[in-house]
């Protein structure tokens, strides 16, 4: 219940609805029932916020994509700075686990994702998680478009395991990093009412 | 009937509020819908419908007192406005008129 309640609070779901879900869960509803209800409540809240505050949604996407473009531009210099140690990690991974992973690239992308999440969340209170979700959705659509091409190229250069990890990266690790960034405190906001 | 016709689920939610009466908040409304339809009801969808109905002026809401069994959250009670009641009656009249005299629907169990 704690995790579901945390998620519902973070996404700004109606407090009365959260109360209803707690009440139902305490009267014997199962954990799968609660999680199904939680996910639908979150999706509905994001949809309603996007519909009611579409200018904020548009602004969140413009901000997110601008930072993303800056991260892409700064990626090469940042990777060069890390190259003194990152090649050793890459080599170790290749020799011991037989997988190719561009660690410096992944690190820059993950840090960039955290920065994007933090910035969008900071500028879109109290709808931060809804706005971050909209940006993540647009990013996933963009990534999916290029996936087939990179899949074909990746299979020959990275091998199946490396490709699997690289495939998971934009669709799982980057979104998680963006939401982690959105959870980072900015010193001016606190969430009310975490509960049992 | 108002220009914007009621959706199927919205009409069901309005009728559930009427059936529950004074104590119409999310949980009993959801239970009423579950018992009537025999299907699992998603409270998020119920609240989305309630939000639309309130925006249309068909229902009004008031906040109750917070209770410990709800993690300190207050209940949100809903009731139909005069406009809401009028729209439900109009919809019923329209549906009954459309229903009447359809040979395809005769002999079906209620």
């Amino acid at each position: 219940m704690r995790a579901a309640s945390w998620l519902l609070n973070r996404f700004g779901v109606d407090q009365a609805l959260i109360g209803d879900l707690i009440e139902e869960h305490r009267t014997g509803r199962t954990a799968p029932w609660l999680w199904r209800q939680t996910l639908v409540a979150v999706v509905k809240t994001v949809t309603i916020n996007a519909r009611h505050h579409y200018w904020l949604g548009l602004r969140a996407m413009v901000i997110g994509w601008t930072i993303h473009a800056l991260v892409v531009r700064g990626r090469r210099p940042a990777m060069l700075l890390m190259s003194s140690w990152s090649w050793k990690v890459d080599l170790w991974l290749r020799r011991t686990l037989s997988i190719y992973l561009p660690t410096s690239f992944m690190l820059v992308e993950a840090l960039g994702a955290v920065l994007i999440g933090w910035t969008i969340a900071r500028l879109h209170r109290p709808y931060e998680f809804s706005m971050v979700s909209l940006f993540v959705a647009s990013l996933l659509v963009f990534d999916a478009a290029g996936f087939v091409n990179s899949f074909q190229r990746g299979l020959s250069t990275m091998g199946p395991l490396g490709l699997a990890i690289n495939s998971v990266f934009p669709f799982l690790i980057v979104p998680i990093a963006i939401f982690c960034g959105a959870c980072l405190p900015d010193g001016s906001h606190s969430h009310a009412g975490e509960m049992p | 009937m108002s220009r914007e016709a009621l959706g199927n689920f919205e009409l069901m939610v309005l009728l559930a509020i009427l059936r529950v009466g004074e104590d119409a908040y999310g949980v009993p409304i959801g239970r009423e819908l579950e018992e009537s339809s025999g299907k699992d009801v998603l409270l998020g969808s119920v609240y989305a419908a309630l939000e639309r109905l309130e925006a249309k002026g068909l229902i009004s809401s008031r906040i109750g007192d917070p209770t410990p069994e709800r993690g300190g959250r207050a209940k949100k009670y809903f009731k139909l406005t005069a406009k809401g009641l009028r729209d439900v009656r109009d919809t019923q009249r329209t549906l009954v008129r459309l229903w009447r005299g359809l040979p395809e629907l005769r002999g079906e169990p209620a």
Side-chain angles (χ1 to χ4, degrees):
Chain A
M1 185 70 230
R2 266 179 197 277
S5 157
W6 179 85
L7 199 68
L8 290 161
N9 272 309
R10 276 288 178 180
F11 275 88
V13 173
D14 190 330
Q15 290 297 306
L17 172 54
I18 301 176
D20 288 349
L21 293 177
I22 294 167
E23 189 183 325
E24 285 279 57
H25 185 59
R26 284 187 176 169
T27 53
R29 297 282 198 175
T30 60
W33 179 90
L34 176 71
W35 276 105
R36 195 162 146 256
Q37 297 280 345
T38 298
L39 292 178
V40 171
V42 163
V43 171
K44 293 274 179 191
T45 302
V46 171
T47 313
I48 288 170
N49 283 340
R51 203 172 57 225
H52 287 182
H53 310 285
Y54 53 89
W55 281 113
L56 281 183
L58 192 66
R59 192 178 77 170
M61 288 217 233
V62 169
I63 290 169
W65 280 105
T66 305
I67 300 172
H68 187 267
L70 291 173
V71 170
V72 169
R73 277 188 78 90
R75 197 160 54 199
R76 192 176 287 273
M79 284 166 70
L80 275 172
L81 280 174
M82 285 188 260
S83 60
S84 58
W85 57 267
S86 67
W87 69 270
K88 291 174 194 164
V89 180
D90 293 354
L91 194 66
W92 180 82
L93 284 169
R94 202 180 306 186
R95 281 191 180 151
T96 54
L97 303 170
S98 303
I99 52 171
Y100 172 78
L101 280 183
T103 46
S104 58
F105 170 84
M106 287 179 156
L107 197 62
V108 173
E109 284 284 301
L111 289 174
V114 170
L115 179 67
I116 291 170
W118 181 80
T119 310
I120 294 176
R122 195 185 158 87
L123 296 175
H124 295 86
R125 309 279 190 215
Y127 310 107
E128 65 267 34
F129 266 53
S130 292
M131 299 306 145
V132 167
S133 301
L134 287 179
F135 173 73
V136 168
S138 73
L139 190 67
L140 290 177
V141 169
F142 180 80
D143 285 341
F147 182 68
V148 176
N149 187 28
S150 60
F151 189 86
Q152 285 166 343
R153 257 186 310 127
L155 194 59
S156 57
T157 56
M158 294 174 188
L161 186 59
L163 181 66
I165 295 169
N166 277 285
S167 305
V168 160
F169 187 75
F171 294 103
L172 194 68
I173 309 294
V174 169
I176 287 172
I178 293 174
F179 280 110
C180 285
C183 290
L184 289 177
D186 62 9
S188 64
H189 179 81
S190 65
H191 274 273
E194 296 298 320
M195 26 131 267
Chain B
M1 203 186 323
S2 66
R3 192 177 295 225
E4 206 175 341
L6 284 172
N8 190 28
F9 190 64
E10 287 177 350
L11 181 62
M12 284 169 71
V13 170
L14 285 173
L15 292 171
I17 294 172
L18 278 175
R19 291 179 79 88
V20 174
E22 285 292 303
D23 197 36
Y25 69 98
V27 173
I29 294 171
R31 289 261 161 108
E32 186 65 41
L33 290 168
E34 269 183 1
E35 280 165 25
S36 306
S37 66
K39 290 175 193 163
D40 198 15
V41 166
L42 295 161
L43 283 176
S45 303
V46 173
Y47 269 79
L50 289 167
E51 192 248 333
R52 285 196 303 274
L53 291 168
E54 198 162 14
K56 289 180 190 172
L58 303 181
I59 58 169
S60 62
S61 64
R62 68 177 172 86
I63 304 291
D65 293 323
T67 53
E69 67 269 17
R70 295 167 55 82
R73 264 79 176 175
K75 290 174 184 170
K76 201 176 191 178
Y77 293 99
F78 299 92
K79 69 171 185 181
L80 265 70
T81 59
K83 184 175 184 279
L85 204 55
R86 203 168 49 238
D87 269 23
V88 171
R89 281 206 192 103
D90 288 346
T91 306
Q92 183 195 23
R93 228 170 278 142
T94 309
L95 288 174
V96 167
R97 246 180 259 136
L98 285 166
W99 227 270
R100 219 173 276 151
L102 287 175
E104 291 89 342
L105 297 177
R106 257 181 229 145
E108 287 287 313

